[in-house]
Amino acid sequence: MDSWWTHAVIYQIYPRSFMDANGDGIGDLAGIRARLDYLAWLGVDAIWLSPIYPSPMADFGYDVADYTDVDPQYGTLAEFDALLRDAHARQIRVLLDFVPNHTSDRHPWFVESRSSRDNPKRDWYIWQDAPSNNWLSNFGGSAWQWDKATGQYYYHAFLKEQPDLNWRNPRVEAAMFDVLRFWLARGVDGFRVDVLWHLIKDEQFRDNPPNPAYRPGMSPYRSLLATFSADRPEIHALVMRMRRVLAEFGDRLLLGEIYLPIERLVTYYGPEGPAAHVPFNFQLIQLPWAATAIGVAVEAYERALPGGAAPAWVLGNHDKPRVARRLGTGQARVAAMLLLTLRGTPTIYNGDELGLVGVMRPASESLDPKGRTLPGFSRDAERTPMQWDASANAGFTTGGAWLPVQPDFARVNVAVERDDPRSMLSLHRQLLQLRRTDVALARGIYTSGRRHDCVMAFGREFAEQRRVVALNFSSDAQRVVLEGGAAGRVLLSTHLDRSDAVSGEVLLRPDEGVIVAVEERRRSPRPA
Ligand code: GLC
Ligand code: CA
């Protein structure tokens, strides 16, 4: 039996922006709970909540001050238990965000650690007499922060308010594994693990080499390759030990946030093979949106995966410009079809199912700390609130929303789109329904299609069932020849307006993707 997550659809919730139940302008657990019926209707299998723990919110929760509680802004442990119970009652699993690389500087461990050089927790973090190398913070500047009281520097891969834990210290590992157990025992179904590839750093703290692919305009942090500050060989044994903690509780999922090239990424599946857990693949976000580039990358990934392992594709998250902003609304629909027809475990970022583009704000007003240290890199736009209906603040809050909703919210929202059979939301719901009922799309193998400049075509096959997915990446009509003159029927178009029979070929309108059920026993599609 496959694990539940090898073909599940995950839905990422950014709790601050999903639904505010108490009118303070900030989303909360009670709000999520009130919207579970929407998620059940949409048809997702699991939700992943970005951090809900007590936090000074320097990085909106990715600076954790207590790993085993809920921030009062978001609710209480009792409310979390109620949310978990209600989600499970709807067959929706719940993943938490595990943030193991760093704590908040207000976490009692760090408060102790910085109190004196001989404090027992000193070695829980990474202290040096001098900034010992050229490592840079992801959010700009040196990663080494001077601490006046004890006359040493500590290392932070992100904000100075996010000191990195020292995972070479077995006490840190033991304490953090107990955090996992705390939530697993409460019933959570797994974790998305924040910056998993960062946990272990080079023992000798060697300088990172310059990145030959660096171009002006990229984040300064990328000017160096994170060869020594991350992705060290020792990480793999650590991930295996982490998996074993999850295994104590049965079939739970560990979903790793890992931004690495394919050949490095697949090593995170681990030598124990497909039985375990998945690293996110961010290529659909990172590559130029072109049929050839995406097609080549998907196939290379399918080939590079260890036998039986499932990919985990992503189109957007709380850190990256929204897909509809990046690609435009027409191609965002094509992208949704791609995400939800590829093999494996896709993650939908909340609001992308509505086609949200977010609201760009001046760098000087960035609430995201990254936007303040690196102008142009603010993540506020992808964190603007969910849009539920046409009432004030799009039904997100009765108070003042912490970030603005889109000016067009009266048109772009759940209530309007639910009633529109051609909306982006209807497209997502139909794709999810099809994935549930269609065994080839849910569990079939991936088969490659022939390359074409503007069309990406591929197959999904399970026993006698064959599906061809043909995606037009252009705004011109395209013709896709079905191999061997196969005939079939369109199961779904991104335009949501056809279910015609096709024979020998499929004609794609501009920005159209289709899923075809192929009748004849033919292998792969052959674009003209
Ligand atoms: C991850 C999170 C991001 C956060 C960073 C530091 O990349 O997705 O939001 O700022 O880690 O925790
Ligand atoms: Ca609230």
Side-chain angles (χ1 to χ4, degrees):
M1 238 323 248
D2 284 352
S3 290
W4 62 270
W5 44 264
T6 54
H7 43 78
V9 176
I10 297 167
Y11 183 91
Q12 179 191 354
I13 291 181
Y14 195 67
R16 223 179 161 71
S17 304
F18 193 65
M19 179 68 207
D20 173 25
N22 66 354
D24 66 356
I26 293 170
D28 43 48
L29 296 185
I32 298 171
R33 198 173 157 214
R35 296 295 187 180
L36 285 175
D37 283 335
Y38 165 71
L39 298 171
W41 170 85
L42 183 60
V44 299
D45 301 293
I47 53 178
W48 141 37
L49 309 182
S50 278
I52 56 170
Y53 319 105
S55 165
M57 302 290 166
D59 191 17
F60 294 117
Y62 285 95
D63 48 325
V64 179
D66 179 353
Y67 287 99
T68 55
D69 205 347
V70 172
D71 192 281
Q73 283 190 339
Y74 296 145
T76 61
L77 271 178
E79 278 172 313
F80 176 76
D81 290 339
L83 169 61
L84 190 63
R85 194 183 57 231
D86 287 1
H88 284 170
R90 289 166 178 77
Q91 273 78 52
I92 296 174
R93 307 202 194 225
V94 178
L95 309 175
L96 288 184
D97 207 314
F98 183 47
V99 189
N101 180 67
H102 42 266
T103 68
S104 162
D105 62 347
R106 316 267 182 85
H107 194 293
W109 297 341
F110 189 70
V111 173
E112 269 197 58
S113 182
R114 85 188 312 178
S115 67
S116 76
R117 289 197 189 197
D118 53 15
N119 184 279
K121 293 238 164 33
R122 186 66 169 182
D123 190 43
W124 283 43
Y125 293 83
I126 299 167
W127 293 94
Q128 301 265 321
D129 285 334
S132 56
N133 58 30
N134 68 353
W135 297 358
L136 296 174
S137 157
N138 283 255
F139 292 162
S142 168
W144 296 96
Q145 175 67 26
W146 173 246
D147 185 64
K148 200 165 162 224
T150 55
Q152 279 191 317
Y153 290 79
Y154 65 85
Y155 174 69
H156 60 92
F158 295 88
L159 296 174
K160 66 178 184 345
E161 291 84 3
Q162 293 167 300
D164 278 45
L165 281 164
N166 174 18
W167 274 84
R168 291 183 185 272
N169 181 339
R171 291 209 170 81
V172 167
E173 180 174 307
M176 291 301 275
F177 284 3
D178 280 345
V179 168
L180 294 174
R181 291 189 185 95
F182 173 87
W183 293 106
L184 291 165
R186 279 195 118 78
V188 310
D189 299 283
F191 302 90
R192 173 265 192 185
V193 187
D194 193 62
V195 297
L196 178 59
W197 82 113
H198 271 265
L199 298 199
I200 300 272
K201 297 94 168 100
D202 184 44
E203 211 161 13
Q204 302 163 49
F205 293 97
R206 281 168 282 187
D207 274 353
N208 279 329
N211 178 0
Y214 182 74
R215 298 286 172 273
M218 286 161 71
S219 161
Y221 157 79
R222 307 268 302 277
S223 63
L224 300 175
L225 289 171
T227 309
F228 294 111
S229 56
D231 191 31
R232 300 309 301 156
E234 299 93 326
I235 185 68
H236 297 289
L238 169 56
V239 174
M240 286 319 299
R241 294 196 293 279
M242 208 180 269
R243 289 173 171 183
R244 273 180 220 123
V245 176
L246 271 76
E248 292 167 19
F249 295 82
D251 194 12
R252 314 283 172 110
L253 170 63
L254 197 114
L255 197 55
E257 184 202 21
I258 303 171
Y259 283 94
L260 284 175
I262 293 184
E263 63 280 6
R264 299 296 316 140
L265 189 60
V266 292
T267 63
Y268 284 76
Y269 279 92
E272 287 174 27
H277 313 281
V278 286
F280 276 130
N281 180 326
F282 295 111
Q283 286 180 298
L284 301 182
I285 298 181
Q286 292 171 317
L287 287 168
W289 189 250
T292 311
I294 300 283
V296 167
V298 167
E299 282 172 25
Y301 199 60
E302 281 283 346
R303 274 197 306 275
L305 283 177
W313 301 104
V314 187
L315 271 180
N317 59 35
H318 62 294
D319 296 326
K320 302 291 174 196
R322 281 196 179 270
V323 59
R325 171 175 297 280
R326 194 161 53 90
L327 306 182
T329 44
Q331 282 300 309
R333 296 172 80 105
V334 173
M337 183 171 275
L338 173 63
L339 175 73
L340 297 172
T341 55
L342 284 173
R343 192 174 73 85
T345 313
T347 300
I348 299 171
Y349 178 50
N350 62 193
D352 280 353
E353 78 275 25
L354 303 175
L356 295 191
V357 292
V359 181
M360 300 293 274
R361 297 162 68 249
S364 59
E365 288 170 27
S366 177
L367 296 183
D368 173 23
K370 190 174 182 185
R372 291 196 299 271
T373 48
L374 298 173
F377 288 92
S378 177
R379 298 168 293 180
D380 286 353
E382 48 269 24
R383 299 172 178 185
T384 62
M386 260 303 270
Q387 302 187 167
W388 296 102
D389 57 40
S391 67
N393 289 308
F396 162 69
T397 180
T398 54
W402 78 286
L403 280 173
V405 296
Q406 291 176 200
D408 62 0
F409 74 87
R411 203 165 41 79
V412 182
N413 65 58
V414 170
V416 166
E417 293 195 33
R418 200 170 34 199
D419 292 338
D420 172 0
R422 308 258 165 95
S423 69
M424 182 70 153
L425 180 58
S426 294
L427 173 63
H428 275 83
R429 181 151 188 264
Q430 292 208 30
L431 282 164
L432 289 170
Q433 280 181 342
L434 199 53
R435 260 186 81 101
R436 288 206 162 188
T437 50
D438 194 280
V439 68
L441 288 176
R443 291 157 198 261
I445 56 161
Y446 173 94
T447 59
S448 54
R450 197 185 290 162
R451 294 228 167 38
H452 184 284
D453 282 350
C454 298
V455 174
M456 177 182 171
F458 58 92
R460 297 291 310 280
E461 303 185 1
F462 189 93
E464 296 305 299
Q465 288 202 32
R466 283 170 173 57
R467 307 288 176 246
V468 169
V469 180
L471 305 170
N472 184 353
F473 279 56
S474 78
S475 47
D476 299 316
Q478 303 286 341
R479 170 194 308 257
V480 180
V481 174
L482 298 171
E483 190 182 347
R489 187 169 57 82
V490 174
L491 288 180
L492 194 65
S493 155
T494 50
H495 296 205
L496 298 171
D497 61 354
R498 66 190 273 197
S499 55
D500 48 312
V502 292
S503 182
E505 63 180 22
V506 194
L507 296 179
L508 296 176
R509 289 165 290 173
D511 297 321
E512 184 179 28
V514 295
I515 304 169
V516 176
V518 176
E519 277 157 21
E520 279 172 57
R521 201 194 156 87
R522 294 283 181 245
R523 294 218 72 81
S524 51
R526 182 167 290 166

